[in-house]
Amino acid sequence: MTTLSARPRTALLVIDVQKGVVTGAHRRDEVVANIAALVDRARAEHIPVVWVQHSDEDMPRDSEDWQYVEELLRRDSEPLVHKSYGDSFEGTDLEEVLAGAGVGRLVVTGAESDACIRSTIHGAFTRGYDVTLVGDAHTAGDKSAWGAPPVEQVIAHTNLYWRWQSAPGRTAGVVETKEVSFEGPAEVTGG
């Protein structure tokens, strides 16, 4: 139901699953395995897989921390979007990549739940995309030393509020990996 009516396709968005981002992240191995399963399914169903890779002063481009984790291998034919802001659309060519592929709906995975994931799902939604967050395929590191709640609460809260997000002409929702459909808008699920 996207407001981007001439763009009926869905894409899987894999955000910042980089060594320097997910090392020590909450349920890292489970989340990475879920993302890998979704990448395999998307490829089998001929769904575009779009990779997003962050760099900044603390994680310079081409450094070891900047590299994607070994379990996730991007194919040369799959777009790679380089970013330096939380929202994957800001200062990048993500919009052009998605428009070129006819994408109006995103299935979002990656890291970090309380930063780049939140920024990107909101950025996509305000740009007219339908946005499905995969509830068991995003994670974050512990930021409780800076006053944040424990990571499992951050993830649960992100899943909770995105489940009820709404706006005219767009859908939002949260599903588990096993419930992902690349064919239509998200169905709101519990949990």
Side-chain angles (χ1 to χ4, degrees), residues 123-142:
F125 203 63
T126 60
R127 287 172 173 87
Y129 291 86
D130 289 340
V131 181
T132 300
L133 177 62
V134 185
D136 60 350
H138 66 97
T139 190
D142 182 8

Side-chain angles (χ1 to χ4, degrees), residues 18-20 53-68:
Q18 297 161 252
K19 293 175 184 178
Q53 194 166 19
H54 188 85
S55 63
D56 59 28
E57 186 177 287
D58 296 324
M59 194 167 54
R61 207 169 181 167
D62 297 322
S63 68
E64 186 64 21
D65 282 347
W66 177 82
Q67 303 298 324
Y68 252 77

Side-chain angles (χ1 to χ4, degrees), residues 58-164:
D58 296 324
M59 194 167 54
R61 207 169 181 167
D62 297 322
S63 68
E64 186 64 21
D65 282 347
W66 177 82
Q67 303 298 324
Y68 252 77
V69 297
E70 288 87 1
E71 299 96 323
L72 298 175
L73 298 175
R74 182 182 72 86
R75 291 181 177 168
D76 289 341
S77 60
E78 295 168 339
L80 175 60
V81 174
H82 295 282
K83 73 176 183 65
S84 55
Y85 299 100
D87 181 347
S88 298
F89 288 90
E90 290 296 327
T92 72
D93 63 349
L94 179 57
E95 174 60 30
E96 291 81 15
V97 166
L98 297 172
V103 171
R105 177 174 174 256
L106 298 175
V107 174
V108 178
T109 66
E112 287 195 301
S113 305
D114 49 354
C116 299
I117 294 294
R118 284 189 185 179
S119 295
T120 300
I121 61 179
H122 284 281
F125 203 63
T126 60
R127 287 172 173 87
Y129 291 86
D130 289 340
V131 181
T132 300
L133 177 62
V134 185
D136 60 350
H138 66 97
T139 190
D142 182 8
K143 296 175 194 69
S144 59
W146 296 280
V151 181
E152 60 272 9
Q153 291 178 9
V154 169
I155 293 167
H157 180 253
T158 303
N159 290 342
L160 173 68
Y161 86 77
W162 197 252
R163 184 170 281 113
W164 305 111

